[in-house]
Amino acid sequence: MIIIVFIVMLEASVNAKYANVFLNATIETIKISIFSIAMGFAIGVVVGLGRISNNFLIKGISTVYVEILRGTPLIIQIFIIYFGTPQFGIQFDAFTAGTLALGLNSGAYQAEIIRGGIQSIPKGQMEAARSSGMSYLQAMRHVILPQGFRLIIPPITNEYVTVIKDSSLAYSIGAFEVTYWSLKIIAYDFQPFTTFLFAALIYFTLTFSTSTIMNMVERKFRIPGYMGAE
Amino acid sequence: MATPVIETRNIQKSFGDNKVLKGISMKVMPKEVIAIIGASGSGKSTFLRCMNRLNEPDGGDILFEGHSIMGKDIDIDLVRSQMTMVFQSFNLFMHLSAKRNISLPLRQVKKLKKEEADRLAMEALDKVGLTDKADAYPGEMSGGQQQRVAIARAFAMHPKVLLFDEPTSALDPQLIGEVLEVMKKLADMGMTMVVVTHEISFARDVADHVIFIDQGLILEEGPPKEMLINPKNERTRQFLKRVLQEENLPPLPQ
Ligand SMILES: Nc1ncnc2c1ncn2[C@@H]1O[C@H](COP(=O)(O)OP(=O)(O)OP(=O)(O)O)[C@@H](O)[C@H]1O
Ligand SMILES: [Mg+2]
């Protein structure tokens, strides 16, 4: 802890004149991360449910989505959305393109996490709900998903940390986030070691806060007497 | 004559090549308690689960209060809410307190207001002697208590019939009594019940009619006094002998 504070002070003094730049860059990184995490979650719920659907068309589309987005490099996905879409007359700015690509990509991973969470709920839970007269959707909404979401908190935290780190790839299309500005600052003021270290520190602060908050969420929603809880 | 609450006609069911039910017909009359006994793997659970179409029968018909429920335009959720089920492994909703386990279907299926659902839930908990566990989660209760809550959840819906699938088989021996007691109380209240069970003494004391299923068919049925004490069929006799030995009970008196 003390070491971290020391490094922060050191870095801050070195980079003091760029404080404003880094602040804005950090805000941009946070915005990209939050938007793509939220978008990925919405996609994740829909595609995750689609993956376990009995309808083979829905299941097929969901599976193809997951496999393609998981099986191709994120940087190519970013390039396709930023450089590729203008071919069809659509031009996103760097922020939007980066966020879209990250969100679509994270959606595939979150879908798999959500599918896994749902499928690890014992079959008896769905049967008990259906046998009392609840519809499939009611059972999903009130029995399966609430339990599933508690189970997926650890793996989905991992995914959120990954999204925050991967948002750095948006530098490549010129989104004004932390990595982009670090490179710019180094070009002006040749101090790559301290500048990159400072950038790393910013990312770490964001990821560490995220996992800390998610741990608190997990504790808050822990089910008494269930799944390792006290 | 009254209409049977449930009537099954020639129910058949296979899992792949495994023909589990080979044509079972039976009737459940109002206020009747039916015990279904039989060896492990004989198809008892499958048959019970066919009654509310938790398992989809391949052939035959199921009538609920005189109407087939096999048709496409049947609201199966509505039918299920009137023949609720109690499972071997309790299947309480793990993320909800005892009270909310009971009120959830009341609110979702019967569309009751929260206050009304809570009141009925507490009433049901009172019947199974667990009002003090209203706010406890399933993971904080013993198996016997969980099963009593599950029974409360099932009958709080005011079903026309309760289906039990070996409700005491997952319980430690010292917890079986409290669950059987609750079931006996329900039977005394005039509840219509179909109970798959290995508890021969429960079948003898509480059931009006006992059905012995063997290899997917009803091999023998009748009033418990005849069925359990003087079975006609050799296989029934062997089964009863084995079960009673396993339970360390003396042979039933003549
Ligand atoms: N979902 C399923 N898929 C495939 N086979 C199944 C399924 N459910 C049951 N079976 C098979 O059907 C047969 C009958 O099973 P069932 O559970 O109805 O027996 P049971 O009489 O209830 O036995 P027990 O006393 O052990 O509960 C068994 O051979 C079982 O393996
Ligand atoms: Mg069974």
Side-chain angles (χ1 to χ4, degrees), chain A:
Chain A
M1 214 45 217
I2 292 167
I3 296 171
I4 292 177
V5 171
F6 178 74
I7 295 178
V8 171
M9 281 166 38
L10 181 75
E11 301 296 332
S13 65
V14 171
N15 292 290
K17 55 185 163 172
Y18 299 117
N20 218 18
V21 177
F22 269 123
L23 183 67
N24 286 330
T26 306
I27 290 171
E28 196 76 352
T29 289
I30 292 174
K31 269 163 60 185
I32 295 176
S33 303
I34 288 182
F35 285 137
S36 34
I37 284 171
M39 178 178 154
F41 185 74
I43 294 174
V45 172
V46 174
V47 176
L49 286 171
R51 288 270 280 159
I52 53 174
S53 163
N54 286 330
N55 181 317
F56 98 112
L57 187 66
I58 294 176
K59 188 174 181 158
I61 292 172
S62 308
T63 306
V64 168
Y65 180 88
V66 168
E67 292 303 339
I68 289 179
L69 275 274
R70 252 193 347 189
T72 53
L74 175 55
I75 190 87
I76 299 292
Q77 294 166 15
I78 292 173
F79 286 166
I80 288 175
I81 290 181
Y82 186 70
F83 297 119
T85 52
Q87 226 176 313
F88 306 101
I90 311 163
Q91 175 69 70
F92 296 113
D93 60 41
F95 171 84
T96 311
T99 306
L100 269 177
L102 271 166
L104 290 168
N105 180 273
S106 181
Y109 286 94
Q110 293 194 53
E112 282 303 272
I113 293 169
I114 288 166
R115 177 182 68 86
I118 291 171
Q119 287 182 330
S120 58
I121 304 299
K123 250 177 51 200
Q125 295 287 308
M126 177 57 99
E127 290 183 348
R130 295 306 307 274
S131 74
S132 70
M134 287 164 74
S135 68
Y136 178 82
L137 287 179
Q138 285 175 329
M140 265 296 164
R141 161 133 190 261
H142 296 283
V143 176
I144 306 300
L145 293 182
Q147 293 184 46
F149 281 137
R150 286 161 167 92
L151 282 182
I152 66 170
I153 291 174
I156 216 150
T157 302
N158 235 349
E159 170 58 19
Y160 293 170
V161 165
T162 301
V163 170
I164 292 170
K165 291 187 295 184
D166 283 354
S167 71
S168 59
L169 289 176
Y171 94 88
S172 57
I173 52 172
F176 299 141
E177 47 71 68
V178 171
T179 306
Y180 176 89
W181 278 116
S182 303
L183 289 164
K184 278 274 184 277
I185 288 167
I186 291 164
Y188 280 116
D189 185 358
F190 194 71
Q191 291 203 339
F193 184 75
T194 48
T195 307
F196 280 139
L197 207 60
F198 192 67
L201 194 73
I202 291 174
Y203 283 112
F204 179 74
T205 309
L206 296 180
T207 55
F208 189 69
S209 320
T210 303
S211 49
T212 307
I213 291 169
M214 292 298 279
N215 279 336
M216 281 160 50
V217 171
E218 190 186 6
R219 233 169 297 138
K220 178 159 166 31
F221 288 104
R222 194 161 279 182
I223 301 166
Y226 186 44
M227 299 192 289
E230 285 310 310

Side-chain angles (χ1 to χ4, degrees), chain B residues 2-19:
Chain B
T3 320
V5 183
I6 300 176
E7 179 175 353
T8 73
R9 289 183 183 160
N10 196 28
I11 294 299
Q12 300 170 39
K13 172 74 181 173
S14 301
F15 293 107
D17 292 338
N18 184 7
K19 196 150 174 52

Side-chain angles (χ1 to χ4, degrees), chain B residues 23-252:
Chain B
I24 300 191
S25 304
M26 65 169 285
K27 286 178 185 167
V28 185
M29 301 309 290
K31 297 187 192 274
E32 203 175 26
V33 176
I34 295 201
I36 299 178
I37 59 173
S40 184
S42 57
K44 305 180 300 295
S45 301
T46 307
F47 178 51
L48 195 74
R49 293 158 59 88
C50 278
M51 289 184 194
N52 66 358
R53 288 175 60 191
L54 224 45
N55 283 349
E56 205 63 64
D58 303 330
D61 201 1
I62 301 159
L63 282 71
F64 179 64
E65 300 198 302
H67 303 285
S68 170
I69 58 166
M70 294 304 295
K72 273 205 152 46
D73 50 347
I74 284 293
D75 182 354
I76 192 66
D77 293 335
L78 180 69
V79 173
R80 284 177 179 155
S81 73
Q82 299 180 27
M83 50 160 114
T84 50
M85 197 166 203
V86 174
F87 299 85
Q88 181 172 350
S89 49
F90 330 135
N91 297 350
L92 288 182
F93 307 133
M94 297 307 286
H95 65 305
L96 298 178
S97 66
K99 185 170 78 179
R100 291 197 51 206
N101 257 278
I102 303 171
S103 63
L104 180 68
L106 289 172
R107 294 185 61 183
Q108 294 305 318
V109 181
K110 295 209 160 183
K111 308 286 178 207
L112 297 185
K113 291 244 163 12
K114 184 177 186 309
E115 296 71 35
E116 179 68 356
D118 282 352
R119 194 181 61 75
L120 289 176
M122 289 310 290
E123 239 177 67
L125 280 174
D126 188 40
K127 287 224 176 66
V128 298
L130 283 174
T131 42
D132 56 326
K133 292 286 178 189
D135 296 319
Y137 285 81
E140 301 173 314
M141 289 185 274
S142 75
Q145 291 168 337
Q146 288 187 59
Q147 193 60 301
R148 281 148 70 196
V149 173
I151 294 173
R153 176 175 68 183
F155 78 67
M157 295 294 287
H158 279 290
K160 298 278 164 54
V161 51
L162 271 174
L163 308 177
F164 293 83
D165 190 4
E166 297 196 31
T168 58
S169 291
L171 295 174
D172 291 338
Q174 72 272 18
L175 300 177
I176 291 177
E178 61 186 69
V179 171
L180 291 181
E181 210 170 290
V182 166
M183 292 168 61
K184 188 164 184 319
K185 202 164 128 187
L186 286 175
D188 290 343
M189 284 163 44
M191 190 77 217
T192 312
M193 296 163 46
V194 182
V195 186
V196 173
T197 185
H198 285 296
E199 297 290 327
I200 301 301
S201 45
F202 174 82
R204 179 195 57 195
D205 299 339
V206 182
D208 304 299
H209 191 83
V210 180
I211 291 177
F212 176 62
I213 291 188
D214 188 51
Q215 297 175 351
L217 285 169
I218 295 182
L219 199 62
E220 191 168 352
E221 61 181 313
K225 297 276 177 315
E226 292 171 20
M227 261 292 293
L228 300 173
I229 297 167
N230 251 328
K232 294 185 187 64
N233 195 292
E234 181 54 31
R235 286 183 69 91
T236 320
R237 212 168 301 155
Q238 279 173 1
F239 169 77
L240 285 170
K241 201 170 144 199
R242 201 178 59 238
V243 174
L244 291 175
Q245 263 168 8
E246 274 168 19
E247 288 185 25
N248 267 328
L249 293 173
L252 294 171

